[in-house]
């Protein structure tokens, strides 16, 4: 079977890129797999790509490239949804190249990995192929305008795959898609190439984009409470982003310059997690929680806010990690200090976390995708008719509203009762 993944930019750094490459590598054991990058901004990818997986860049955005001089490069995209936050990075040249690729794509399965790319998939991919949209962000993270743009396109696909069961339930409730299989398959995280943490270093690690939603400010404030009682412990925050300067000022203002540090971006992050004894997540929301699984794979327990939607599906509170209320500085500090003060409990939790993390091995998750492909092929005819019946009912309802007709009630047969 031939499988194609559509990525925004396979040459960058990010959780979607990593998990796509992980899944592509696992599927390459049984299939012919390629990753199609809408654009490229450097010569080689930042993440190592399995040589069995073919990488196909469509538009080279580097200033010296021929693509960057094409007149279409300077025209705004007409096909990428306007409400998608990456819209400003797309143009008519990308539209054209994507349409050309998809219309001639020989793949049996085509998988999109972000909302705007999934719209391309719906618009241009051949109907003979299975067309699957992955959602790496929460439904609620999309604006109302974007959700309205996505709905008619997602309803033409074969499946929508979220990273959590909770988010799949939200899609089923708020974006009904007759004939479209809506389900959750978590991101895969391979076993790291480093030995598990010994759990003895007085280090708390955290990682992610330095943006407001990740609440590194809350973590720094909580650590200020912690360091007064545990002065030997250090906080290391890995990542880059718009909040870097503000967070640095906060560290200095709280007198934490000697104990809390912004480390910059590291890849792979597992090498740094393995040097820590705890990992902290203070986010207001997580669509999945790659950082949590990556830490657990290194034998490091995670203290996380119980934010929607991912952490509670990954961490078993009190066994493989700790969950605390979102936005609660004291609860976060208290949970960290409980584990800092109790090395045996910390080690037991680390062992349980390491064992639990094996559920995210790429191989079994790739088999779940294989099962999905088989199910979608087998149910294609039934799903086609399900979609057709739903479309017909919707048209009848619109006509009834247009002409002010109330839904007809069935008349009971003579001597009988009306149906319930």
């Amino acid at each position: 079977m031939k499988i194609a993944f559509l990525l925004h930019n396979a040459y960058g750094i990010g959780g979607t890129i990593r998990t796509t490459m992980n899944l592509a590598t696992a599927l390459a054991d049984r299939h012919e797999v390629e990753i199609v990058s809408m654009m490229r901004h450097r010569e080689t990818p930042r993440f190592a790509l399995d040589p069995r997986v073919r990488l196909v860049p469509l538009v080279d955005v580097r200033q010296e490239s021929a693509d960057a001089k094409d007149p279409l490069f300077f025209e705004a995209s007409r096909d990428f949804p306007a409400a998608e936050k990456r819209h400003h990075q797309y143009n008519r040249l990308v539209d054209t190249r994507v349409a050309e690729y998809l219309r001639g794509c020989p793949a049996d399965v085509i998988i999109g990995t972000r909302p705007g790319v999934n719209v391309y998939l719906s618009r241009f991919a051949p109907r003979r192929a299975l067309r699957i949209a992955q959602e790496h962000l929460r439904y609620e993270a999309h604006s109302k305008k974007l959700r309205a743009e996505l709905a008619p396109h997602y309803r033409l696909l074969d499946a929508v795959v979220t990273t959590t069961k909770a988010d799949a339930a939200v899609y089923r409730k708020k974006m009904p898609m007759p004939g479209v299989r809506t389900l959750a398959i978590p991101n895969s995280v391979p076993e790291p190439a480093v030995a598990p943490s010994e759990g003895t270093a007085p280090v708390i690690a955290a990682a992610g984009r330095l943006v407001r939603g990740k609440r590194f400010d809350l973590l720094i404030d909580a650590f200020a409470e912690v360091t007064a009682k545990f002065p030997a412990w250090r906080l290391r925050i890995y990542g880059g982003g718009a909040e870097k300067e503000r967070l640095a000022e906060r560290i200095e203002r709280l007198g934490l310059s000697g104990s809390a540090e912004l480390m910059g971006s590291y890849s792979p992050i597992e090498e740094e997690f393995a040097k820590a004894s705890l990992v902290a997540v203070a986010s207001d929301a997580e669509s999945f929680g790659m950082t949590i699984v990556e830490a657990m794979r290194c034998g490091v327990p995670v203290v996380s806010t119980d934010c929607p939607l991912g952490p509670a599906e990954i961490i078993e509170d009190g066994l493989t990690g700790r969950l605390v209320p979102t936005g609660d500085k004291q609860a976060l500090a208290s949970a960290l200090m409980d584990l800092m003060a109790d090395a045996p409990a910390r080690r037991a939790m680390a062992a349980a976390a390491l064992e639990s993390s094996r559920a995210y091995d790429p191989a079994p998750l790739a088999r779940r995708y294989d099962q999905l492909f088989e199910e979608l092929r087998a149910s294609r005819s039934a799903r086609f008719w399900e979609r057709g019946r739903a479309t017909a009912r919707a048209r009848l309802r619109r006509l009834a509203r247009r002409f002010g007709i109330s839904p007809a009630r069935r008349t009971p047969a003579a001597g009988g009762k009306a149906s319930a």
Side-chain angles (χ1 to χ4, degrees), residues 40-57:
R40 72 187 297 178
H41 69 287
R42 64 196 312 270
E43 187 62 29
T44 57
R46 293 186 182 274
F47 294 129
L49 183 63
D50 189 299
R52 298 173 300 170
V53 178
R54 182 176 176 232
L55 179 59
V56 182

Side-chain angles (χ1 to χ4, degrees), residues 39 73 76-77 80-82 84-91:
M39 54 194 75
F73 190 83
S77 171
F80 196 87
E84 230 265 38
K85 69 177 183 178
R86 296 281 187 182
H87 180 265
H88 66 284
Q89 295 179 293
Y90 283 74
N91 52 57

Side-chain angles (χ1 to χ4, degrees), residues 297-320:
R297 297 236 64 170
C298 295
V300 182
V302 179
V303 177
S304 173
T305 49
D306 189 10
C307 60
L309 293 164
E313 293 192 18
I314 301 170
I315 295 172
E316 187 173 349
D317 188 30
L319 179 62
T320 62

Side-chain angles (χ1 to χ4, degrees), residues 89-420:
Q89 295 179 293
Y90 283 74
N91 52 57
R92 285 299 294 157
L93 184 60
V94 179
D95 290 349
T96 302
R97 295 273 176 85
V98 174
E100 289 174 352
Y101 169 82
L102 287 174
R103 284 170 177 152
C105 182
D108 303 291
V109 180
I110 310 174
I111 303 174
T113 59
R114 70 170 298 119
V117 173
N118 294 335
V119 170
Y120 280 146
L121 176 65
S122 176
R123 284 180 182 271
F124 304 121
R127 298 297 177 94
R128 58 164 183 74
L130 293 177
R131 302 179 303 165
I132 300 172
Q134 287 182 344
E135 270 289 353
H136 292 270
L137 293 174
R138 299 172 298 116
Y139 175 88
E140 300 293 351
H142 301 323
S143 68
K144 290 182 179 179
K145 184 177 180 181
L146 178 57
R147 294 196 296 257
E149 287 189 82
L150 294 179
H153 294 286
Y154 278 23
R155 290 185 180 119
L156 298 176
L157 300 175
D158 293 285
V160 173
V161 179
T162 66
T163 58
T164 65
K165 294 176 182 177
D167 202 33
V170 173
Y171 270 90
R172 285 192 289 267
K173 180 180 179 180
K174 296 189 175 183
M175 190 186 287
M177 294 177 279
V180 180
R181 180 88 159 85
T182 306
L183 73 159
I185 301 178
N187 290 335
S188 61
V189 180
E191 183 178 0
V194 295
S197 169
E198 295 179 358
T200 56
V203 174
I204 302 167
R209 291 175 297 115
L210 304 185
V211 294
R212 288 183 183 273
K214 296 294 185 180
R215 293 307 308 273
F216 289 112
D217 58 332
L218 180 72
L219 176 57
I220 291 167
D221 290 350
F223 183 70
E225 303 285 324
V226 166
T227 193
K229 296 182 179 180
F230 296 87
W233 282 71
R234 299 290 180 264
L235 173 64
R236 296 174 180 168
I237 299 174
Y238 299 89
E243 292 289 290
K244 181 177 181 180
E245 185 176 336
R246 192 173 73 91
L247 295 173
E249 291 172 353
R250 196 180 202 91
I251 289 171
E252 184 176 356
R253 186 172 69 253
L254 292 173
L256 300 175
S257 297
S259 56
E261 187 175 359
L262 301 178
M263 307 294 292
S265 297
Y266 274 70
S267 180
I269 192 60
E270 289 91 342
E271 293 180 8
E272 302 307 311
F273 282 166
K275 300 173 185 176
S277 293
L278 290 171
V279 165
V281 174
S283 301
D284 284 336
E286 287 284 349
S287 55
F288 174 62
M290 281 284 287
T291 296
I292 297 172
V293 180
E294 288 165 342
M296 293 168 66
R297 297 236 64 170
C298 295
V300 182
V302 179
V303 177
S304 173
T305 49
D306 189 10
C307 60
L309 293 164
E313 293 192 18
I314 301 170
I315 295 172
E316 187 173 349
D317 188 30
L319 179 62
T320 62
R322 289 290 306 275
L323 294 170
V324 300
T326 304
D328 191 330
K329 176 186 73 173
Q330 294 299 332
L332 181 58
S334 178
L336 288 169
M337 288 190 287
D338 285 348
L339 291 172
M340 292 161 70
D342 191 343
R346 193 169 69 240
R347 287 193 292 270
M349 189 171 283
L354 183 60
E355 179 63 28
S356 176
S357 72
R358 295 193 173 98
Y360 300 93
D361 281 340
L365 293 176
R367 286 195 292 273
R368 288 177 63 177
Y369 270 95
D370 278 332
Q371 292 167 4
L372 174 62
F373 302 155
E374 292 175 9
E375 177 190 325
L376 292 176
R377 284 200 301 269
S379 64
R380 178 167 262 165
S381 178
R383 290 184 295 102
F384 172 81
W385 288 109
E386 180 185 353
R387 180 181 289 127
R389 288 192 296 269
T391 300
R393 287 194 296 267
R395 286 176 179 169
L396 286 173
R397 286 194 296 270
R398 286 196 297 270
L399 284 170
R401 287 195 298 269
R402 180 179 176 184
F403 293 104
I405 302 172
S406 299
R409 298 184 64 180
R410 281 178 286 179
T411 303
K417 295 182 180 179
S419 301

